[in-house]
Amino acid sequence: MCIRSAIELNRAALLLRPPGHSGRTSSLNNLATSLHDRFQQRGIMSDLDEAIELHRTAFEQRGIMSDLDEAVELRRAALELLPPTLHDRFQQWGVMSDLDEAIELHRAALLLRPPGDSNQSSSLNNLATSLHDRFQQRGIMSDLGEAIELHRTALELLPPRHLNRSSSLNNLALSLRDRFQQRGIMSDLDEAIGLHRAALELFPPCHSNRSLSLSNLANSLRDRFLQGGTMSDLDEATELHRAALLLRPPGHSDRSSSLNNLAASIYVAKSWAAFADILDHESALLAYKTALKFLDQQVALLSSSSRHFDVIKEAVSSLATDAFSCSVRHSALTTAVELVEQGRAVFWTQLARFSTPLDELSVPGDTGATLAEEFKRLSFRLRNAFDQSTED
């Protein structure tokens, strides 16, 4: 059944259940849910607004029920259905009162999930997620601390192979990483990495969420590299980002995110080399070698877009020159030449991928052919000039 038909049928059902009817609350929730589903498909805000009002009306109806058990069940249903619609509206408009109300409703819903209730873990996660969102908006550490404890409790309620365990592991890990970024406590980051590893193990090779899990683990490992400088963390983060990219072919909605992660890793490697050089640390030369090797390995995976070409150009332009200077200061002249050659190779490789094929440029006619010939001539002169400067 299409969503439009479902909405029409739910509206008709609601008309047959006037105020006071025992089934009116269910009809209100059913219509609201259908409208919410259409909002998620089409993004029509009027659907979301109507869904919220219908859920709110259903929530208010529970006070007129004569049967206590039925009233409790309807209250629980309304408390679980209204907060997600408020949360979605908050994400669309950023109105904090919607998020605040969602949090209070999640708290009320949790009170209706006593210990032993099969859905208690879900209620804990819902409240924790909303608190985490509010922390990201207002930066109140108590919200983040409570979110971590709620996520931890929710995780403890899930058996090892539960369908929601990977999501719960990931939620706790992300909250711990946020607290690490605020307070710099390494134990939070180490625990986040362990949780991301556990979540990744629950996703088989072709699972739709595996690429996100790979990226989350990679980002946390990169954070740890920036703190401790352990190359194995950066190496593993790079391999994980590469694996995530392979699961996101051209056209995938998250492919640009994976490409950006690889580009960010290039920047991290370059920064390590630069800081080691400035501080005259003994690892400076190794850092430059590693950064150029890393750049060489990643350049083929980046797209040929102008933005990623700019990333490569910026990285190579100073990296090769600084690596050469560092090598000379350490009397490693052979290494100096090798690093300059490696940097030049990376630049020309990416330039060749970025440029438009000359045959295509020639197609439009005389103007295109003239531009193609001019490009060839300038390219030849640039290569000769660069070769000569390297030899000198």
Side-chain angles (χ1 to χ4, degrees):
M1 180 187 298
C2 70
I3 190 67
R4 180 179 177 181
S5 297
I7 291 172
E8 291 176 353
L9 289 172
N10 282 322
R11 286 195 191 282
L14 181 60
L15 291 174
L16 296 175
R17 293 174 172 178
H21 191 285
S22 60
R24 183 171 177 81
T25 301
S26 296
S27 288
L28 287 164
N29 279 328
N30 290 339
L31 176 55
T33 299
S34 296
L35 287 163
H36 189 203
D37 288 343
R38 188 166 70 179
F39 161 75
Q40 291 178 319
Q41 291 180 15
R42 301 181 182 177
I44 302 172
M45 281 303 301
S46 58
D47 283 343
L48 183 59
D49 290 337
E50 185 180 359
I52 289 172
E53 292 311 310
L54 289 166
H55 278 316
R56 201 186 300 280
T57 302
F59 176 68
E60 293 167 354
Q61 290 285 309
R62 97 282 182 193
I64 64 174
M65 301 300 300
S66 58
D67 185 275
L68 180 60
D69 290 338
E70 185 180 1
V72 169
E73 285 304 313
L74 289 171
R75 176 179 171 82
R76 179 180 294 164
L79 285 170
E80 290 175 348
L81 292 169
L82 179 54
T85 56
L86 288 165
H87 193 269
D88 280 354
R89 190 165 70 178
F90 159 74
Q91 291 179 321
Q92 291 293 315
W93 296 111
V95 179
M96 286 303 301
S97 59
D98 281 341
L99 184 57
D100 291 338
E101 184 180 0
I103 288 172
E104 292 310 308
L105 291 170
H106 279 312
R107 290 193 191 281
L110 184 58
L111 292 176
L112 298 177
R113 298 291 183 190
D117 190 294
S118 60
N119 290 314
Q120 188 184 34
S121 176
S122 177
S123 289
L124 288 162
N125 266 320
N126 289 337
L127 174 56
T129 299
S130 292
L131 285 165
H132 189 196
D133 286 345
R134 190 166 70 180
F135 159 76
Q136 291 179 320
Q137 294 294 315
R138 294 177 175 168
I140 301 173
M141 287 302 299
S142 59
D143 279 344
L144 181 59
E146 185 179 1
I148 289 172
E149 293 311 310
L150 290 166
H151 278 314
R152 200 183 297 282
T153 302
L155 180 61
E156 291 171 353
L157 294 174
L158 297 176
R161 306 307 298 182
H162 193 282
L163 288 174
N164 294 332
R165 187 169 177 82
S166 59
S167 175
S168 191
L169 287 162
N170 183 64
N171 289 336
L172 176 56
L174 291 173
S175 294
L176 285 165
R177 183 181 179 223
D178 277 354
R179 190 166 70 180
F180 160 76
Q181 291 175 333
Q182 292 293 316
R183 296 183 173 175
I185 301 172
M186 283 303 300
S187 59
D188 280 343
L189 184 57
D190 290 337
E191 185 180 0
I193 290 171
L195 292 165
H196 279 314
R197 289 194 193 283
L200 183 59
E201 290 176 358
L202 296 177
F203 293 120
C206 295
H207 194 284
S208 59
N209 289 331
R210 184 172 174 83
S211 60
L212 179 61
S213 189
L214 287 163
S215 294
N216 287 336
L217 175 56
N219 288 332
S220 291
L221 285 165
R222 190 173 63 200
D223 284 350
R224 191 165 69 180
F225 166 77
L226 289 171
Q227 293 295 312
T230 304
M231 271 307 301
S232 59
D233 282 340
L234 184 58
D235 289 340
E236 186 180 1
T238 303
E239 291 307 310
L240 290 167
H241 278 315
R242 288 166 64 96
L245 181 61
L246 293 175
L247 294 175
R248 295 168 171 176
H252 192 286
S253 60
D254 293 324
R255 183 172 174 83
S256 61
S257 175
S258 283
L259 290 168
N260 287 335
N261 284 332
L262 282 172
S265 295
I266 292 172
Y267 176 79
V268 168
K270 182 186 174 186
S271 298
W272 169 43
F275 283 121
D277 196 3
I278 291 171
L279 297 173
D280 197 26
H281 193 267
E282 60 182 9
S283 68
L285 188 55
L286 172 61
Y288 278 119
K289 288 180 180 179
T290 303
L292 276 169
K293 179 182 177 182
F294 176 76
L295 185 61
D296 191 24
Q297 291 173 340
Q298 305 313 312
V299 67
L301 291 173
L302 294 176
S303 71
S304 57
S305 69
S306 59
R307 184 165 60 84
H308 286 136
F309 174 73
D310 288 340
V311 170
I312 298 300
K313 181 177 69 174
E314 181 183 354
V316 174
S317 61
S318 60
L319 191 56
T321 302
D322 293 342
F324 177 85
S325 300
C326 182
S327 300
V328 170
R329 288 197 303 274
H330 286 81
S331 300
L333 301 183
T334 301
T335 301
V337 175
E338 290 174 350
L339 292 177
V340 168
E341 287 294 319
Q342 188 175 357
R344 183 178 69 166
V346 171
F347 177 78
W348 284 110
T349 297
Q350 183 66 0
L351 182 62
R353 294 178 64 244
F354 174 75
S355 60
T356 302
L358 295 183
D359 290 342
E360 294 181 11
L361 186 60
S362 303
V363 170
D366 293 340
T367 301
T370 301
L371 289 172
E373 288 301 318
E374 180 69 8
F375 179 85
K376 289 179 181 178
R377 184 180 65 80
L378 290 174
S379 179
F380 180 75
R381 290 177 61 184
L382 283 170
R383 285 179 180 271
N384 283 344
F386 196 92
D387 290 340
Q388 186 175 1
S389 66
T390 304
E391 291 171 3
D392 293 341

